[in-house]
Amino acid sequence: QHGQKVRGVIEAILSGLGDKQDRFSRWARSLVERRSYWRAVVAIAAKNARLAWAVLKYGEDFRLNPVVA
């Protein structure tokens, strides 16, 4: 049950990339192109887990620092 929800969220992220040009979207799109869809799903899940761990460990709110291109 929980795994299906997580998979659904990550699939929604990948399908919603569209033409977005932020750093995360470019990374995810290139990952799908270089590897495969399912490897990209696993990589995004792992990245989200690392972010969640860091937020819990350091007790700070997550802040996205946008990179100016």
Side-chain angles (χ1 to χ4, degrees):
Q1 179 77 1
H2 178 68
Q4 290 175 339
K5 288 180 184 179
V6 170
R7 185 170 71 170
V9 168
I10 294 172
E11 287 178 1
I13 290 170
L14 286 174
S15 66
L17 290 176
D19 292 333
K20 293 181 183 175
Q21 293 301 317
D22 58 278
R23 192 165 91 181
F24 176 80
S25 297
R26 289 192 315 265
W27 171 77
R29 209 174 6 266
S30 72
L31 190 60
V32 171
E33 292 169 2
R34 288 183 288 125
R35 301 293 181 194
S36 69
Y37 179 83
W38 290 111
R39 284 189 180 185
V41 167
V42 171
I44 291 169
K47 185 177 189 106
N48 287 342
R50 288 190 302 271
L51 285 170
W53 173 82
V55 167
L56 291 172
K57 178 175 173 52
Y58 297 108
E60 295 181 14
D61 292 337
F62 175 73
R63 290 182 310 275
L64 178 63
N65 295 325
V67 175
V68 177

